[in-house]
Amino acid sequence: MDDCLAKKMEITVSEAEKRTGRNAMNMQETYTAYLIETRAVEAQSEGQCAPVDSLWRRYSEFELLRNYLSVTYPHIVVPPLPEKRADFVWHKLSADNMDPDFVERRRIGLENFLLRVASHPVLCQDKIFYSFLTQEGGWKEMVNETGFQLKADSRLKALNATFRVKNPDKRFTELKHYSDELQSVISHLLRVRARVADRLYGVYKVHGNYGRVFSEWSAIEKEMGDGLQSAGHHMDVYAASIDDILEEEEHYADQLKEYLFYAEALRAVCRKHELMQYDLEMAAQDLTSKKQQCEELATGTVRTFSLKGMTSKLFGQETPEQREAKIKVLEEQIQEGEEQLKTKNLEGRDFVRSAWADIERFKEQKNHDLKEALISYAVMQISMCKKGIQVWTNAKECFSKM
Amino acid sequence: DTSLAEVNSFSPSVPISPSSMINQYKFEDEPEVRDLFITVDDPESHITAIETFITYRVVTKTSRGEFDSSEYEVRRRYQDFLWLKSKLEEAHPTLIIPPLPEKFIMKGMVERFSDEFIETRRKALHKFLNRIADHPTLTFNEDFKIFLTAQAWELSSHKKRGPGLLSRMGQTVRAVASSVRGGVKNRPEMFTEMNGYMETFSQKINVLDKIAHRIYKEEKEYFNEMKEYGPIHTLWSASEEDIADSLKGVASCIDKCCKATEKRMAGLSENLLPILHEYVLYSEILMGVLKRRDQIQSELDSKVDALANKKAEKDLFSEEIGKLEDKVECANNALKADWDRWKQNMQCDMRSTFTNVAEKNLRYYEE
């Protein structure tokens, strides 16, 4: 991991800016551009600060980068991008893409994405990734020149299509199940968390009403007045405290969301394996049937029904020369087929091996990150309770002086 | 002797038997020693051809001489409590008679005879009788004594003896008429202040009641969402190996939070909500008391005016006026004393109930 990019280079997405421009159809559009700053780590010696390079990128360019990486490295679990549109919002947050809070959280998510790629042992060495960080102009053209879109398998997009694969690697089948479960459980969790946040917000905010009424009531009371008034102040503090608490929780939600999207990436790798296996099995099947055909032609026995066989019976046998020609063609095809099958087998085994290595790496990362996220969530809850204890202790004192 | 009774914050949520109450008070250093202990419990439903109703058992233990016995057990229904309240209002128009629970509760669609409704009503009836017992004047009221001691048939025949429905209606009409006349000319400053206070108090207490109900509702919805939140973590832990324990840990913590929320809600519904509700009712009662005082005063004022105009029958009028002046003075004094007592009680109730809320919240966060 010593030579991964993240160690050599400091990467930050430091700013976000609203821009207007013209899109492909020459219509005006508003979008957000993000400033990527990079700075070489080694160049820093005592007191000297290395120069910062920077360039602006928009979300669609990040998407392009990720698509390129997914196609070019099909055996890698490619880190996900933050969501395109705000999802799992609770009522206070807006679902608007231009909302400053959303843009801010997206900025953090994009930075996180770049850091993940830069610390990946394989991905960090990619040249396109490096130029994404360092070369402002002409990057899009560079990516398209790699022709990666041609390599993309359109079948991967058809998520619901099933391919009857006879002998998939069991580990991948299990992994696919796991990624489905993970996706469903995290999205359920995020949904309920948003609802819980909503309700909690309600409880706290209604307490704020106490503040106003206590204050008004204290005006007509002589002995109770002071106690009421100060208690009311504490109720206001209580009601206001929920805003910060829930903002912190949003970070926790974002951490979970990253793994929700990671589940998709995991699933993609499994699908690639399935497709490779499918192609392999189809190729093997094709080869077997060709061999059979060849055998039949050579020995003249018809073991399987074929239209050719029927027509030749009806319209007369072929001449031996015709038969010879056919056999020759078939034999060539068979040879080709066998070569292809060998390559496919090798590729398949290579894929399984390297994919599984990355999956193991991913598993460790996931366990570590999720554990930390859960711990930080617990810490947040504890801090919320401590604040609650403080407020209500103060309020209790005020009440007892009434 | 209208000495202030000590303020006792009994909690009717646990039906304390009169005997245990006696024991409780024996060991306390109180200037006054309580000599009347009442409990309301054991609701029972009765079904007749015409109607279904609930009776409550009222147990009284006393050491007072005016009572023939030291222990009484009777059954009373809501109607009987209503009768008692109106008798007390009649006898003491300017004293603050404690509130009775309402006939129906529209909000929340509580069924008339649901267990929750009956229990809430029982607690309120218990408080009602005990507040009367604590009141320096009302506690010696004759109808109160009959209410506590008479058998069912005795009570019905006694009820029939009082001023009839028509005369009661007449009183109400006069009261409404006098309020329509709008204000009283010679109202002492003190009572104008009280009126002003009550108007604001009534407003604020109603708003507080609404706020407290709203908080309860929000907490309930929060609780419902939390109930779903915990199990998701358990479900997730089933797919994981490494982090399964952490997830299960979070799930169990969320469950604990749920339980703590339930306790907090129970604290609200047992303590704050009933008290706020009572004081909403009290504010209505107090407005009524102030109106009745005004009415008594206006009777006096109109007679004084009449005297100023008619010189004839001066003596007769003077006597009447003298009586009315006494009446007004009594009414005013009674109200003033009672007012002070009520305010003290209110302060105490508010203090203790809000402190209780604070404590419940503290416990919640600690757990």
Side-chain angles (χ1 to χ4, degrees), chain A residues 126-358:
Chain A
D126 186 277
K127 299 252 171 343
I128 298 284
F129 174 59
Y130 187 78
S131 22
F132 179 87
L133 296 173
T134 53
Q135 184 186 323
E136 181 137 32
W139 177 79
K140 259 201 200 152
E141 290 74 14
M142 197 198 288
V143 182
N144 290 328
E145 265 167 38
T146 63
F148 78 92
Q149 276 116 340
L150 300 170
K151 286 193 237 157
D153 194 333
S154 59
R155 290 177 297 175
L156 283 170
K157 297 250 167 96
L159 286 169
N160 290 328
T162 43
F163 298 89
R164 261 190 287 135
V165 182
K166 291 186 202 131
N167 285 321
D169 187 318
K170 281 229 168 57
R171 295 177 298 173
F172 283 90
T173 322
E174 274 171 26
L175 192 65
K176 192 153 94 114
H177 279 149
Y178 170 76
S179 73
D180 286 340
E181 278 171 11
L182 190 69
Q183 215 171 4
S184 118
V185 90
I186 293 186
S187 53
H188 190 196
L189 199 152
L190 285 170
R191 257 200 310 274
V192 179
R193 191 211 70 88
R195 293 207 299 258
V196 168
D198 228 344
R199 291 300 164 199
L200 197 62
Y201 184 77
V203 172
Y204 272 75
K205 285 299 178 191
V206 180
H207 276 86
N209 289 328
Y210 272 147
R212 187 180 41 89
V213 182
F214 279 176
S215 167
E216 289 167 5
W217 182 8
S218 71
I220 56 171
E221 296 293 341
K222 283 182 225 140
E223 287 144 13
M224 284 201 329
D226 287 335
L228 268 179
Q229 178 90 305
S230 29
H233 162 74
H234 291 297
M235 292 296 101
D236 286 334
V237 168
Y238 182 69
S241 68
I242 191 66
D243 293 309
D244 285 341
I245 290 168
L246 286 177
E247 206 186 286
E248 258 197 275
E249 264 198 35
E250 278 313 305
H251 291 297
Y252 169 69
D254 283 340
Q255 286 174 296
L256 289 184
K257 264 184 228 173
E258 194 193 10
Y259 278 91
L260 177 67
F261 303 140
Y262 252 126
E264 269 177 57
L266 204 59
R267 196 164 186 277
V269 173
C270 297
R271 289 283 286 176
K272 281 168 206 153
H273 163 75
E274 261 181 22
L275 284 175
M276 283 184 97
Q277 188 66 14
Y278 177 76
D279 283 346
L280 185 79
E281 288 174 5
M282 287 290 113
Q285 216 176 22
D286 189 58
L287 189 64
T288 321
S289 84
K290 283 211 166 79
K291 283 188 179 161
Q292 237 174 33
Q293 269 185 355
C294 205
E295 202 196 306
E296 285 167 17
L297 280 176
T299 61
T301 53
V302 180
R303 253 186 270 148
T304 53
F305 175 81
S306 76
L307 191 59
K308 272 224 182 97
M310 282 310 293
T311 52
S312 68
K313 274 216 165 123
L314 290 170
F315 298 110
Q317 291 275 350
E318 312 163 294
T319 63
E321 294 82 25
Q322 285 175 320
R323 227 188 311 146
E324 279 300 319
K326 278 209 185 120
I327 291 176
K328 235 213 169 80
V329 166
L330 274 173
E331 277 177 352
E332 275 173 27
Q333 287 180 338
I334 288 170
Q335 240 208 336
E336 257 181 62
E338 278 184 340
E339 299 263 335
Q340 277 187 5
L341 197 61
K342 241 191 240 168
T343 348
K344 277 205 161 80
N345 255 310
L346 266 170
E347 278 176 7
R349 273 202 284 269
D350 263 345
F351 180 90
V352 165
R353 198 178 23 87
S354 49
W356 204 254
D358 195 54

Side-chain angles (χ1 to χ4, degrees), chain B residues 94-105:
Chain B
T94 59
L95 285 187
I96 302 170
I97 315 295
L100 267 182
E102 288 142 324
K103 273 213 168 110
F104 311 109
I105 302 177

Side-chain angles (χ1 to χ4, degrees), chain A residues 78-90:
Chain A
V78 178
L81 283 172
E83 51 197 355
K84 193 159 187 154
R85 261 161 276 284
D87 219 345
F88 303 113
V89 287
W90 55 284

Side-chain angles (χ1 to χ4, degrees), chain B residues 265-315:
Chain B
M265 277 164 50
L268 274 185
S269 78
E270 274 163 29
N271 205 299
L272 183 67
L273 295 182
I275 298 242
L276 287 178
H277 184 67
E278 274 164 32
Y279 278 89
V280 167
L281 293 174
Y282 255 130
S283 65
E284 282 167 34
I285 291 169
L286 272 141
M287 295 298 269
V289 165
L290 286 168
K291 277 214 179 85
R292 283 201 290 274
R293 191 218 68 86
D294 283 349
Q295 183 205 333
I296 294 174
Q297 168 136 13
S298 72
E299 261 184 69
L300 170 66
D301 289 347
S302 66
K303 282 274 153 59
V304 169
D305 284 347
L307 179 65
N309 297 337
K310 290 189 202 174
K311 303 294 180 159
E313 298 163 37
K314 200 167 150 208
D315 294 331

Side-chain angles (χ1 to χ4, degrees), chain A residues 178 204 216 221 366 402, chain B residues 197 204 225 240 351 365:
Chain A
Y178 170 76
Y204 272 75
E216 289 167 5
E221 296 293 341
K366 169 202 70 141
M402 265 166 48
Chain B
Y197 174 88
K204 300 309 158 196
E225 299 295 352
E240 298 285 345
R351 181 193 324 141
Y365 280 115

